[in-house]
């Protein structure tokens, strides 16, 4: 059983920063991604990272968000800068059963409980 624990969400003003953390139990060499879901919208992938450090970013967050991993701590981070009100959502960490970079939601079998990010204007 894999357990993903997210932390770091909160309320921030537009232009501010937050860092989300996702700590995983068990193996750490999986592809990991951050998804988000805003009220009334479908869940979307925000960023993903493979075991070899290949990375993917959704267009709206490129240049503002950075995904990284610390394998020694089995933790993946999402540094979010220049936050906008449209970034407001519940952010979920997810781990895949594969170690290569993937953005297919169906490849992600393990999910965290979610952490709320609210950006005020």
């Amino acid at each position: 059983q894999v357990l993903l624990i997210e932390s770091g969400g909160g309320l921030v003003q537009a232009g501010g920063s937050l860092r989300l953390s996702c700590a995983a139990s068990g193996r750490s060499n999986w592809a990991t991604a951050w998804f988000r879901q805003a009220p009334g919208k479908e869940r979307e992938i925000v960023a993903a990272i493979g075991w070899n450090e290949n990375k993917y970013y959704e267009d709206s967050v490129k240049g503002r968000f950075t995904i990284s991993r610390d394998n020694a701590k089995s933790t993946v981070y999402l540094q979010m800068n220049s936050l906008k009100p449209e970034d407001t959502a519940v952010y979920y960490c997810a781990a895949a059963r594969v170690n290569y970079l993937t953005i297919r939601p169906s490849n992600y079998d393990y999910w965290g409980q979610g952490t709320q990010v609210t950006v005020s204007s």
Side-chain angles (χ1 to χ4, degrees), residues 7-70:
S7 60
L11 173 64
V12 65
Q13 288 187 335
S17 298
L18 286 173
R19 187 176 80 157
L20 305 183
S21 299
C22 174
S25 64
R27 292 173 56 197
S28 62
N29 58 337
W30 287 327
T32 305
W34 288 94
F35 291 77
R36 67 185 178 187
Q37 187 166 21
K41 294 187 177 181
E42 294 187 354
R43 187 174 297 186
E44 64 175 357
I45 190 167
V46 175
I49 185 168
W51 173 247
N52 59 0
E53 301 285 341
N54 284 351
K55 301 174 183 179
Y56 164 85
Y57 296 99
E58 192 270 330
D59 285 345
S60 69
V61 307
K62 285 180 180 177
R64 301 189 297 123
F65 290 11
T66 302
I67 190 170
S68 61
R69 65 191 309 152
D70 183 338

Side-chain angles (χ1 to χ4, degrees), residues 77-107:
Y77 304 97
L78 184 68
Q79 178 67 43
M80 305 185 295
N81 298 329
S82 301
L83 282 162
K84 304 175 180 180
E86 51 263 43
D87 294 317
T88 295
V90 177
Y91 284 70
Y92 298 89
C93 173
R97 289 185 180 271
V98 298
N99 59 11
Y100 55 83
L101 178 65
T102 178
I103 62 172
R104 295 180 62 181
S106 60
N107 284 342

